[in-house]
Amino acid sequence: MAVNSVTNLGRSGVYDWMVQRVSAYLLALYTIFLLGFMLTTDLDYEAWAGLFSQTWFRIFSLGTLIALGGHAWVGLWTVSTDYIKATLPRFLFQGVCGTVMFVYVVWGIQILWGL
Amino acid sequence: MFVGVAFLLYGLDLSLSGEEGFARVNELLDSFLAKLIIWGILSALLYHLVAGIKHLLMDMGIGEELKSGRLAAKLTIVISVILIVLAGVWVWQ
């Protein structure tokens, strides 16, 4: 198949479509879990820090952050290819999104594991 | 939402830094602007979540015809508005 796009996330549109759906399930699960936790716990520092100190939840959080990276890349790539027709502005937009996403993941790791 | 994540990570970072950091976040959340930002992020997230779930259902073949699709769209709006109002109560009271 001729290579006609190099800024999408995966090998093909179908791959990106799959990444967005799979990440959506994880993101929805995490969102519902965290909102549920915040609504059903009288939030004090012990409860909050206690949750984030547990390894399983740190893995869950980091997995979610990386899933967000894929989800946001596919989503914003779709938006950018729909609306930004000029190549350079689109490429800059995608570059900024990618950089910001990378910063989010590294920042998340630092928060969770406190380097 | 993509920009909103920066605010959320900042809040998470501060809230986990220690007792004072957690208290600081609570103080911050008392200000009008912070409540507005949080409510804005929550609203966008809730609508995106509801519409997203609709899309996942459509992938399973539910709500893909004209009539069912229109109903699904209306339901998405109604459910989202309800959740956003509830989030508003949670944030502003």
Side-chain angles (χ1 to χ4, degrees):
Chain A
M1 136 186 136
V3 175
N4 40 35
S5 167
V6 291
T7 55
N8 52 341
L9 184 61
R11 307 172 203 78
S12 65
V14 178
Y15 179 84
D16 285 6
W17 179 87
M18 191 275 302
V19 163
Q20 198 166 36
R21 260 69 182 176
V22 171
S23 57
Y25 279 98
L26 181 59
L27 291 165
L29 183 66
Y30 189 85
T31 302
I32 292 166
F33 174 84
L34 197 56
L35 285 179
F37 175 82
M38 292 169 86
L39 288 166
T40 56
T41 324
D42 55 359
L43 274 181
D44 57 10
Y45 176 67
E46 281 73 27
W48 185 247
L51 176 64
F52 280 90
S53 63
Q54 295 171 59
T55 304
W56 73 272
F57 189 70
R58 283 180 171 171
I59 294 171
F60 189 20
S61 301
L62 185 58
T64 298
L65 199 54
I66 292 168
L68 176 61
H71 196 82
W73 182 275
V74 174
L76 290 168
W77 179 86
T78 308
V79 169
S80 68
T81 48
D82 285 349
Y83 295 109
I84 311 173
K85 291 309 177 185
T87 307
L88 183 59
R90 183 176 64 245
F91 192 74
L92 288 175
F93 173 82
Q94 289 167 350
V96 166
C97 288
T99 307
V100 167
M101 199 58 242
F102 177 74
V103 168
Y104 284 165
V105 172
V106 174
W107 189 4
I109 292 170
Q110 194 272 333
I111 293 171
L112 292 170
W113 276 282
L115 299 181
Chain B
M1 285 174 70
F2 190 59
V3 172
V5 170
F7 289 93
L8 296 177
L9 281 175
Y10 174 72
L12 182 64
D13 198 347
L14 193 53
S15 69
L16 290 175
S17 64
E19 197 78 52
E20 344 58 57
F22 186 84
R24 181 85 186 99
V25 170
N26 275 324
E27 281 162 33
L28 281 175
L29 285 176
D30 284 338
S31 77
F32 177 85
L33 183 61
K35 283 179 188 274
L36 194 63
I37 291 172
I38 284 293
W39 190 38
I41 295 170
L42 267 176
S43 300
L45 175 60
L46 290 168
Y47 173 73
H48 194 84
L49 179 62
V50 173
I53 290 171
K54 185 189 80 167
H55 276 78
L56 292 177
L57 290 174
M58 280 159 44
D59 292 344
M60 302 177 201
I62 301 164
E64 283 191 307
E65 278 70 31
L66 178 62
K67 217 162 57 69
S68 57
R70 284 169 63 92
L71 175 63
K74 287 173 186 155
L75 272 176
T76 300
I77 303 289
V78 168
I79 295 170
S80 298
V81 166
I82 292 169
L83 291 176
I84 288 168
V85 167
L86 290 174
V89 168
W90 185 34
V91 168
W92 293 101
Q93 46 76 358

